[in-house]
Amino acid sequence: MLLVKLGGSLAGQAGGQTEFHVEGRNVIEMLRNLGELCPALKPVLEKGVTVSVDGRLQREATYHPLTPDNEIFLLPRMAGG
Amino acid sequence: MPLDSENKTIVPTEFKTVGTRPVRPDGMDKVTGRARFGADMSAPGMLVGAILRSPHAHARIRKIDTSKAEALAGVKAVITSKDLKAQPGCDMDILVNVMARGKALYDGHAVAAVAAVDMSVARKALKLIEIDYKVLPHVTDVDEAMKPDAPVLHKHIEHDYHQDMLETADHVKGKNEKTLPPGKRPSNIAGRYQFGHGDPKKGFREADVIVEHEFKTEATHQGYIEPHACLANVSSDGWAELWVCTQGHFMVRDTCASLLGLDVSRLRVTASEIGGGFGGKTTVFIEPVALALSRKAGRPVKVVMSRDEVFRATGPTSSASMKVRIGAKRDGTFTAAEAILKYQGGAFPGSPVEMGAMTAFACYDLKDVKIVGYDVVTNRPKQAAYRAPGAPMSAFAVEGCVGELAEKLGMDAIDIRLKNAAKEGTVSSYGPTFGPVGLVETLEAAKKHKNYKVKLGKNQGRGVASGFWFNFAGQTCTTINLNIDGTLGLAVGTPDIGGSRASMCLMAAEELGIPYDQVRTIIADTSSLGYNDVTDGSRVTFASGLATIYATRDLKAKLCARAATIWGIPEEAVDWENGAARPAGANAGNFDPLTLADLAEQAAATGGPVAGHYEVNADGAGPSFATHVVDVEVDPETGATEVLRYLVVQDAGKAVHPSYVEGQFQGGAVQGIGWVLNEEYIYGEDGRLQNPGFLDYRIPVCSDVPMIDTVIVEVPNPGHPYGVRGVGETSIVPPLAAVANAVSAAMGVRATTLPMSPPKILAALNNKMRQAAD
């Protein structure tokens, strides 16, 4: 099981819940399973989020592998200048 | 030595080419005027496009009559929002921003456009377009816009004020706040976001000293010297080309194709040379209009914005209203921190308040921290990214409070930051745990610098501030080709806004062990490379650099294979070293090295052209921290501020071309100086922008700033093969706070409202004298 923590607007979308335990071998599977577990999050996840895996930011869903040892944060979609 | 964690290789610490300062490859063209910027492109039969803009801050468009304009001789096309029909899946906010539909949402909002044989005819045509407006009440201030009784821009945006009042009390007060029933209602508050961890209430109970202030910043423009410009050519068979000054031509292609219902493959976009972007050229404004005009007229159309249009209709950054509270023990240890951030992002949702919230306390190791952010819409132009979007404003507020805490505790301004600094293993205020980061190193280097030891005189003050930015990576595709003479052509898809071509040349040359000038880098068009994300988020030297290194390694492997073919030995028996293929040890045979020129000469015989490629959706962009130290002198008679000394210390991971890195540091500092001392969007009672030009909107010029001193700290980023971190944005995070802290120290009054222009400084000094007299 992966421990996924939510930040910012995402926790609000999830009704205030900030942590979820979900299955997933990679980022895409984790997001898909999280959307099933918390349907309120689904539209936000589909629109795009930033995924922090052990502090490394990914601005879109990828097949980046995940293990239960990873620190996983979902953060809002981010952009720079 | 640090590990490149993705590839399990050692990050080198010694380089031959990387870290040197060769002359920039684009410099001669730029200083001689030969470089082709957006407005320099032309095409046979070209028309000029011009855009009619709303003179009202908020108005319903009851009717548009374009018949007289269409009848004018020389006019070839007139378009309104009817010519930009919403396509399935397109971003409606961008579409509506490009051309108003139903309502004009800000002064300068585009409502119609014409293509004509010359600008004189185009201007006459704009005057012949008749628009029946019903002027509506407007709001441009973020605090006013949040009130329940404010004019509402979009009925579909709703907010529950009742919940706010239960939680955060006083920031949305309006005349009806006490009688509002629970539940959502139409509002200008487009979103509420919260970050943090722990229990701030408990943390504040443990504090010996608490500092709390309210802060305001005004919107500022990116201030790029080159206005937006493009040339569109849609042919009668539906194929289209666009030449444009942009930070991301792949983004322009995809967005315009989506808005106009074109196949992506039918639109080829070429990025021109670019005269500054700073984030403001990461979206589209005139490009879909030019394409739509060209499609309708059947001829090429060039659109070039005036400076007035740039100010009124392209993105400045947000203005902000903030409240920050920090508690500390007597020894300077922070016990808790809270912030409420309210950012207006113009007429559409999407202000960078979430990033302001995430970066606000990122410099500090805090157990109990809470940040609440509000995204607010107002009758102003849609904000666009501006270097580290959202971060400079929240840093201004937080670092102002940190500065005051140091004063109250009698601590050195750097020591209090060192005591609380985020480091490897710190759980950041926005969630993730930091890996190797260099904030402590920047603080220590700043403290050792000669500027920090200079004694100050009368009316002078010193300010210190630190800042953080995430840095991003993303999709990147790069190709390196061996030319027939042994030189190399490197094609990247990330427009060069800060000298990245030189950095790419350096990294390719480093890999191959050849001189820098043997590599030439170009920005390839959208039909020549795979997708590349926008040049944003300080990502290019990191991500395009990483792709360049691996594309060059791919090329080297192929070159070694060609040498193996020539020598008749296994590929594994060939190494690449010092610019040539060489037998890998005595057992491989005794052959003379084959240089790039040798292998290029025999390319046809050994299999044809040789090229290296790399495609990646990169992650691993290491975050960056900076510390700035500034000395100012305030003239108590005029209120003018002179910046006496300015020091930027920043972690670059590895500086590929140190002069460019220093240039980024200095540029961020100068833009920050403008933001804190002079620049602001000034709106009249009618909601119209009062200062849309560089005469009235004053950005700093050379005579306004001293030589900006720089120190490059290099804490290698383990996510990059050379340890590189992005450097383009972090440098604008601390200066608002650093200069404000210096001015506050010089005045003896805490500065909480930007810009701190002479009238505001005089008012603060007068108020201080009155209070002393009382």
Side-chain angles (χ1 to χ4, degrees):
Chain A
M1 278 290 210
L2 307 168
L3 174 60
V4 181
K5 298 180 180 179
L6 308 187
S9 54
L10 297 163
Q13 292 279 341
Q17 192 172 340
T18 57
E19 294 186 359
F20 289 87
H21 287 277
V22 293
E23 299 281 359
R25 290 171 300 173
N26 54 47
V27 171
I28 281 180
E29 282 187 7
M30 176 270 290
L31 292 174
R32 193 184 302 138
N33 293 336
L34 181 61
E36 297 297 323
L37 193 65
C38 182
L41 273 176
K42 222 171 178 177
V44 190
L45 300 177
E46 285 170 359
K47 198 175 170 191
V49 292
T50 300
V51 183
S52 170
V53 181
D54 296 337
R56 293 169 71 138
L57 298 177
Q58 299 177 24
R59 289 197 285 184
E60 52 207 318
T62 69
Y63 287 93
H64 186 92
L66 296 175
T67 71
D69 294 336
N70 289 132
E71 179 200 68
I72 305 166
F73 269 89
L74 295 196
L75 299 167
R77 219 173 167 179
M78 291 154 80
Chain B
M1 277 196 286
L3 283 174
D4 171 353
S5 56
E6 185 171 309
N7 298 286
K8 307 296 179 196
T9 55
I10 303 293
V11 176
T13 53
E14 290 185 11
F15 299 87
K16 288 181 179 168
T17 314
V18 161
T20 61
R21 301 170 184 253
V23 172
R24 56 192 298 167
D26 54 324
M28 185 63 83
D29 284 355
K30 282 182 174 166
V31 298
T32 58
R34 198 168 52 196
R36 286 176 299 170
F37 292 89
D40 292 327
M41 302 304 294
S42 61
M46 187 178 80
L47 304 172
V48 297
I51 296 172
L52 185 64
R53 299 184 178 280
S54 168
H56 306 294
H58 197 192
R60 187 161 303 287
I61 301 169
R62 290 192 282 222
K63 189 181 174 191
I64 304 180
D65 184 350
T66 60
S67 57
K68 288 179 185 166
E70 286 165 2
L72 183 67
V75 171
K76 303 299 180 185
V78 181
I79 64 164
T80 66
S81 62
K82 288 180 182 170
D83 298 277
L84 291 165
K85 292 189 173 63
Q87 304 293 325
C90 79
D91 187 320
M92 279 306 293
D93 285 353
I94 293 179
L95 185 67
V96 175
N97 191 43
V98 163
M99 191 71 74
R101 48 191 64 213
K103 278 210 300 187
L105 293 166
Y106 55 91
D107 167 38
H109 198 168
V111 291
V114 303
V117 292
D118 60 38
M119 187 50 80
S120 171
V121 175
R123 287 201 189 103
K124 280 181 194 161
L126 291 185
K127 288 179 183 169
L128 293 172
I129 296 173
E130 294 173 355
I131 303 183
D132 179 14
Y133 289 108
K134 183 191 179 197
V135 177
L136 302 170
H138 66 271
V139 62
T140 55
D141 177 79
V142 63
D143 289 315
E144 292 299 316
M146 290 180 77
K147 291 177 179 175
D149 52 351
V152 170
L153 273 75
H154 306 281
K155 283 185 180 165
H156 67 274
I157 295 176
E158 295 184 323
H159 186 73
D160 184 352
Y161 287 88
H162 189 75
Q163 187 64 26
D164 280 334
M165 271 167 269
L166 293 175
E167 284 180 353
T168 48
D170 59 354
H171 58 285
V172 291
K173 276 186 177 171
K175 66 181 179 187
N176 298 321
E177 89 270 15
K178 287 182 182 156
T179 56
L180 281 177
K184 290 188 172 182
R185 50 183 281 149
S187 165
N188 296 319
I189 301 175
R192 177 194 178 280
Y193 312 112
Q194 185 172 323
F195 294 88
H197 49 246
D199 180 0
K201 283 184 184 166
K202 175 183 77 68
F204 281 115
R205 283 197 298 272
E206 293 167 1
D208 295 316
V209 183
I210 294 174
V211 166
E212 178 178 323
H213 281 293
E214 293 186 12
F215 299 85
K216 285 197 96 159
T217 66
E218 241 313 330
T220 56
H221 198 274
Q222 293 81 350
Y224 32 82
I225 298 304
E226 184 195 16
H228 297 259
C230 69
L231 169 60
N233 190 3
V234 183
S235 66
S236 54
D237 59 2
W239 293 89
E241 286 195 85
L242 186 70
W243 294 267
V244 58
C245 82
T246 177
Q247 291 178 236
H249 46 315
F250 290 87
M251 170 278 298
V252 168
R253 177 194 65 181
D254 297 354
T255 308
C256 289
S258 165
L259 297 183
L260 295 165
L262 297 169
D263 290 341
V264 164
S265 61
R266 284 176 176 257
L267 176 57
R268 178 186 180 196
V269 182
T270 304
S272 71
E273 201 65 69
I274 182 169
F278 311 111
K281 292 175 182 170
T282 56
T283 185
V284 297
F285 300 102
I286 55 173
E287 297 82 357
V289 175
L291 284 162
L293 285 169
S294 176
R295 182 165 64 179
K296 197 165 185 178
R299 287 169 61 173
V301 176
K302 179 152 80 174
V303 178
V304 180
M305 274 190 167
S306 66
R307 182 61 60 186
D308 176 281
E309 288 179 293
V310 170
F311 272 108
R312 289 170 67 209
T314 69
T317 187
S318 294
S319 63
S321 177
M322 302 165 286
K323 189 177 199 176
V324 170
R325 192 172 184 230
I326 304 177
K329 294 273 195 191
R330 281 193 191 84
D331 68 355
T333 306
F334 296 165
T335 60
E338 278 185 340
I340 296 172
L341 311 177
K342 299 166 277 180
Y343 287 16
Q344 68 77 26
F348 302 90
S351 78
V353 69
E354 282 191 277
M355 290 186 286
M358 285 190 278
T359 56
F361 294 110
C363 288
Y364 301 111
D365 188 350
L366 287 158
K367 286 190 177 62
D368 301 301
V369 56
K370 179 182 175 185
I371 314 111
V372 174
Y374 288 91
D375 178 19
V376 183
V377 296
T378 63
N379 294 112
R380 293 188 184 218
K382 181 175 175 14
Q383 71 84 35
Y386 181 8
R387 269 180 125 158
M393 305 83 128
S394 60
F396 160 61
V398 167
E399 293 293 289
C401 288
V402 172
E404 188 164 317
L405 269 175
E407 288 167 23
K408 285 196 168 178
L409 293 166
M411 286 184 75
D412 175 85
I414 290 181
D415 287 344
I416 194 170
R417 288 173 170 85
L418 276 169
K419 193 164 194 67
N420 296 283
K423 48 184 83 70
E424 183 171 4
T426 296
V427 176
S428 70
S429 54
Y430 63 96
T433 305
F434 284 126
V437 290
L439 175 59
V440 167
E441 287 80 355
T442 68
L443 287 162
E444 287 172 343
K447 195 168 182 188
K448 283 181 198 158
H449 196 273
K450 62 180 172 54
N451 286 15
Y452 203 61
K453 298 174 177 65
V454 174
K455 287 194 175 170
L456 298 175
K458 193 181 175 191
N459 299 320
Q460 295 180 353
R462 175 165 298 150
V464 173
S466 295
F468 160 83
W469 185 246
F470 309 93
N471 293 332
F472 300 127
Q475 295 192 68
T476 312
C477 177
T478 297
T479 292
I480 186 164
N481 292 296
L482 178 65
N483 298 321
I484 57 168
D485 61 353
T487 61
L488 293 147
L490 175 64
V492 300
T494 41
D496 176 0
I497 60 170
S500 57
R501 278 169 292 187
S503 297
M504 300 306 131
C505 293
L506 283 166
M507 284 185 267
E510 179 74 39
E511 278 297 313
L512 288 163
I514 59 172
Y516 157 85
D517 60 7
Q518 296 298 295
V519 188
R520 181 169 176 81
T521 304
I522 62 143
I523 313 302
D525 66 58
T526 56
S527 296
S528 305
L529 276 180
Y531 183 83
N532 279 267
D533 276 330
V534 172
T535 295
D536 78 341
S538 304
R539 79 176 207 91
V540 169
T541 305
F542 171 82
S544 259
L546 181 147
T548 293
I549 290 166
Y550 289 126
T552 309
R553 289 180 184 176
D554 182 42
L555 175 74
K556 278 198 298 189
K558 290 172 180 169
L559 291 168
C560 287
R562 299 296 178 97
T565 300
I566 293 167
W567 291 330
I569 63 174
E571 290 177 25
E572 310 83 70
V574 182
D575 276 345
W576 190 271
E577 197 180 325
N578 290 330
R582 300 167 196 271
N587 294 337
N590 189 17
F591 303 103
D592 288 338
L594 289 168
T595 64
L596 286 168
D598 298 331
L599 291 163
E601 194 178 351
Q602 298 193 57
T606 56
V610 194
H613 307 278
Y614 197 72
E615 306 85 26
V616 67
N617 190 352
D619 60 11
S624 170
F625 288 88
T627 297
H628 291 201
V629 179
V630 56
D631 293 347
V632 304
E633 181 169 331
V634 171
D635 184 333
E637 291 192 4
T638 65
T641 298
E642 182 185 359
V643 180
L644 303 171
R645 279 169 289 278
Y646 200 113
L647 169 65
V648 179
V649 187
Q650 186 173 318
D651 177 17
K654 175 64 194 173
V656 177
H657 191 305
S659 297
Y660 278 113
V661 171
E662 289 160 359
Q664 291 289 336
F665 291 5
Q666 291 165 328
V670 172
Q671 284 190 304
I673 289 169
W675 198 334
V676 68
L677 292 180
N678 290 308
E679 297 178 36
E680 63 179 316
Y681 266 49
I682 299 170
Y683 281 93
E685 290 290 316
D686 56 2
R688 300 195 66 186
L689 185 60
Q690 304 294 297
N691 58 336
F694 279 142
L695 278 178
D696 298 316
Y697 178 99
R698 195 170 179 285
I699 62 173
V701 296
C702 284
S703 55
D704 292 319
V705 293
M707 185 64 192
I708 310 289
D709 296 308
T710 57
V711 175
I712 302 172
V713 166
E714 293 183 328
V715 177
N717 167 24
H720 186 277
Y722 291 173
V724 168
R725 296 175 195 269
V727 297
E729 294 173 286
T730 308
S731 55
I732 204 170
V733 182
L736 278 59
V739 176
N741 284 345
V743 173
S744 299
M747 290 195 301
V749 183
R750 171 61 42 193
T752 56
T753 304
L754 301 187
M756 294 164 62
S757 49
K760 282 186 191 153
I761 286 179
L762 284 180
L765 290 172
N766 289 337
N767 192 37
K768 180 185 159 191
M769 280 194 291
R770 270 198 302 274
Q771 285 180 346
D774 291 344

